[in-house]
């Protein structure tokens, strides 16, 4: 049974969210706050009181655009707490999904909030709260949020074979399809360097472990990943060949 604090500076939106939350049988209590200052005061008191106190808060359903401090500001402040509540962002704007991902949000729900989508967010929270004696697994670094038909989903990074630059966006390719995210390829390159991703071209970032073949033809190089054949630029050719040689132990 979850103890919830919902935060939104628009009272109609807050009341609607509280109505939906209180209708979920997994919610023990759902209280509201109409701004960041009030929310931080209540969360601070709850954290100080401890998880066993009646005023404890398991999760904060947090709007992003608010007067004064934004929901992202609140989440950054909560990250400094010793034992902060979990966070679910509830917003009309899909542009902040990557920041939410970086702040280790459990979920990212778009307005207008649908009952079924909110139920999924509650399920994810309940799974993480689970047995409080077990350590909380940090999965934020293992997934990336993508938008599918107005719903934010989290795709495991290990499922991504390669990423393709599309202006200020990147298209992520998996075995089951592709997803467009509002993140430049250079940002993904920096974040995923330690996860085995390498730049082979200004347009492509690939997972080394997903390369099926390395092809040389008249001095040019390409790699095959599944059915996709991707060119390797001259400036990346030697580094990629050295990496693959080391990976195979040659």
């Amino acid at each position: 049974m979850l103890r919830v604090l919902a935060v939104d500076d628009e009272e109609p939106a807050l009341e609607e969210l509280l109505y939906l939350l209180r209708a979920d049988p997994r919610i023990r209590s759902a209280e509201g706050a109409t701004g960041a200052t009030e929310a931080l005061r209540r969360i601070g008191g709850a954290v100080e009181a401890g998880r066993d106190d009646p005023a404890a808060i398991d999760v904060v359903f947090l709007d992003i655009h608010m007067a004064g401090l934004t929901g992202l500001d609140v989440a950054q402040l909560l990250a400094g707490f010793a034992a902060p509540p979990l966070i679910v962002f509830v917003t009309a704007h899909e542009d902040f999904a990557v920041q939410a991902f970086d702040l280790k949000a459990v979920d990212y729900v778009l307005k207008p909030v649908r009952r079924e989508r909110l139920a999924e967010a509650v399920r994810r929270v309940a799974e993480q709260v689970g047995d409080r004696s077990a350590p909380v697994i940090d999965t934020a670094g293992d997934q990336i949020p993508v938008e599918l038909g107005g719903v934010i989903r989290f795709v495991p990074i290990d499922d991504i074979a390669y990423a393709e630059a599309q202006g200020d966006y990147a298209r992520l390719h998996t075995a089951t399809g592709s997803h467009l995210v509002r993140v430049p390829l250079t940002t993904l390159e920096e974040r995923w360097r330690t996860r085995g991703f390498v730049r082979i071209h200004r347009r492509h970032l690939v997972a080394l472990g997903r390369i099926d073949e390395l092809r040389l033809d008249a001095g040019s190089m390409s790699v095959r990943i599944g059915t996709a054949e991707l060119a390797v630029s001259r400036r990346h050719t030697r580094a990629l060949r050295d990496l693959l040689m080391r990976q195979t132990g040659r």
Side-chain angles (χ1 to χ4, degrees):
M1 297 291 287
L2 301 172
R3 297 157 296 187
V4 176
L5 178 67
V7 187
D8 197 317
D9 62 352
E10 296 182 359
E11 290 197 24
L14 179 60
E15 289 302 320
E16 174 67 15
L17 179 57
L18 287 171
Y19 172 79
L20 293 173
L21 287 168
R22 289 166 179 163
D24 193 305
R26 293 165 294 188
I27 303 296
R28 177 191 301 180
S29 63
E31 303 299 328
T34 56
T37 301
E38 179 187 356
L40 287 169
R41 177 180 56 79
R42 295 176 66 170
I43 295 168
V47 170
E48 186 176 348
R51 295 191 185 278
D52 296 329
D53 190 88
I57 298 169
D58 295 308
V59 58
V60 181
F61 282 76
L62 186 59
D63 187 26
I64 287 182
H65 276 296
M66 297 186 292
L69 292 176
T70 68
L72 296 172
D73 293 330
V74 172
Q76 288 173 340
L77 290 169
L78 292 183
F81 285 32
L86 300 175
I87 295 173
V88 172
F89 284 106
V90 183
T91 177
H93 306 274
E94 64 182 53
D95 300 353
F96 300 99
V98 172
Q99 290 96 316
F101 159 71
D102 287 340
L103 290 167
K104 304 181 182 179
V106 175
D107 209 341
Y108 190 95
V109 180
L110 294 176
K111 296 179 180 178
V113 179
R114 295 184 292 108
R115 187 185 299 271
E116 297 81 4
R117 182 65 184 90
L118 189 63
E120 170 64 13
V122 172
R123 182 193 67 78
R124 293 182 180 185
V125 171
E127 283 187 353
Q128 286 212 22
V129 170
D131 180 4
R132 286 295 185 178
S133 64
V136 176
I137 299 173
D138 174 14
T139 60
D142 298 324
Q143 303 176 75
I144 185 168
V146 300
E147 192 273 331
L148 292 171
V151 176
I152 300 297
R153 301 293 187 191
F154 288 81
V155 173
I157 293 172
D158 288 344
D159 288 353
I160 299 167
Y162 67 96
E164 180 181 7
Q166 293 191 356
D168 291 333
Y169 293 72
R171 181 166 293 280
L172 311 179
H173 294 266
T174 70
T176 57
S178 67
H179 312 281
L180 192 65
V181 294
R182 194 188 295 264
V183 188
L185 198 66
T186 52
T187 300
L188 294 181
E189 179 185 10
E190 181 180 342
R191 292 180 180 175
W192 293 354
R193 186 174 290 115
T194 59
R195 302 187 66 94
F197 282 80
V198 295
R199 194 73 170 260
I200 64 166
H201 192 276
R202 62 183 178 82
R203 290 194 57 202
H204 292 119
L205 180 70
V206 305
L208 272 179
R210 296 301 189 97
I211 295 176
D212 298 309
E213 288 182 0
L214 181 67
R215 298 178 176 178
L216 294 170
D217 183 20
S220 64
M221 179 185 287
S222 64
V223 297
R224 183 177 65 80
I225 300 178
T227 59
E229 185 169 349
L230 309 174
V232 181
S233 67
R234 290 186 182 276
R235 64 175 294 200
H236 293 101
T237 295
R238 182 170 182 175
L240 176 63
R241 185 164 50 196
D242 290 347
L243 279 170
L244 289 173
M245 295 290 276
R246 286 201 298 270
Q247 190 179 53
T248 57
R250 297 178 184 177

